[in-house]
Amino acid sequence: MKEKENNIKIAQRLYQEFENRNINGILQLLSSEVEWGEPENPYNPAGGTRIGHDGFLEWIKIGQNAEEILILEPKKWLSDDDSIAIYGYMKCKAKNTGKIYESDFVHIIIIDDGKIVKFQEFFDTYIAGEAFR
């Protein structure tokens, strides 16, 4: 049970560091070989999977240039020994079009030895892609 609680604390800290826009704090939580991904979409510039700290930093830079996160609200946390699923709601604005999109999301986080080794995001890629078009 303690491992599950610790994993949730790591994930909660990740969201806190995102809210604080503390990139160095996020990097401290990530394995040097982290796999960071969101679904591919030809209109979403941040789609795809990136590897390692450099890949994560590339994702952050693309995201900062492409969209503004208006709301990122985790609602439900589910955990087992090495993974967490977070269900939540997000609202974002595509900077190139000014269009706003909203979606529920599920984030899957895999933790090994106290570090995030995989982060996978699932959300409505259709409405996000339409916002960027």
Side-chain angles (χ1 to χ4, degrees):
M1 187 61 125
K2 186 153 177 77
E3 192 69 29
K4 290 180 187 181
E5 291 172 9
N6 191 48
N7 288 345
I8 289 175
K9 287 180 182 177
I10 291 169
Q12 287 173 331
R13 185 167 161 222
L14 176 69
Y15 285 89
Q16 187 63 53
E17 298 296 0
F18 263 104
E19 186 175 322
N20 294 336
R21 296 177 179 7
N22 182 359
I23 303 304
N24 287 331
I26 295 169
L27 289 172
Q28 290 175 14
L29 297 172
L30 304 180
S31 158
S32 62
E33 297 300 316
V34 67
E35 183 179 323
W36 195 277
E38 64 179 74
E40 299 255 357
N41 181 303
Y43 303 109
N44 179 359
T49 300
R50 292 167 177 83
I51 304 297
H53 285 189
D54 288 343
F56 171 78
L57 292 170
E58 175 190 7
W59 178 82
I60 281 287
K61 183 177 180 180
I62 290 168
Q64 288 174 336
N65 291 330
E67 68 185 343
E68 179 181 353
I69 299 171
L70 305 173
I71 298 172
L72 183 66
E73 181 182 348
K75 294 183 175 186
K76 180 81 173 167
W77 304 78
L78 306 167
S79 179
D80 67 11
D81 291 337
D82 69 348
S83 58
I84 301 121
I86 302 100
Y87 164 75
Y89 164 79
M90 66 181 190
K91 183 176 183 179
C92 302
K93 179 179 179 180
K95 290 183 176 180
N96 66 329
T97 64
K99 294 178 184 175
I100 293 175
Y101 68 93
E102 301 175 65
S103 178
D104 290 334
F105 68 77
V106 174
H107 294 162
I108 305 292
I109 298 173
I110 309 293
I111 296 175
D112 184 30
D113 199 24
K115 295 286 186 178
I116 296 169
V117 296
K118 181 173 177 72
F119 180 97
Q120 183 65 51
E121 183 174 17
F122 300 95
F123 60 97
D124 187 336
T125 58
Y126 178 80
I127 63 164
E130 288 301 299
F132 285 103
R133 282 179 15 129

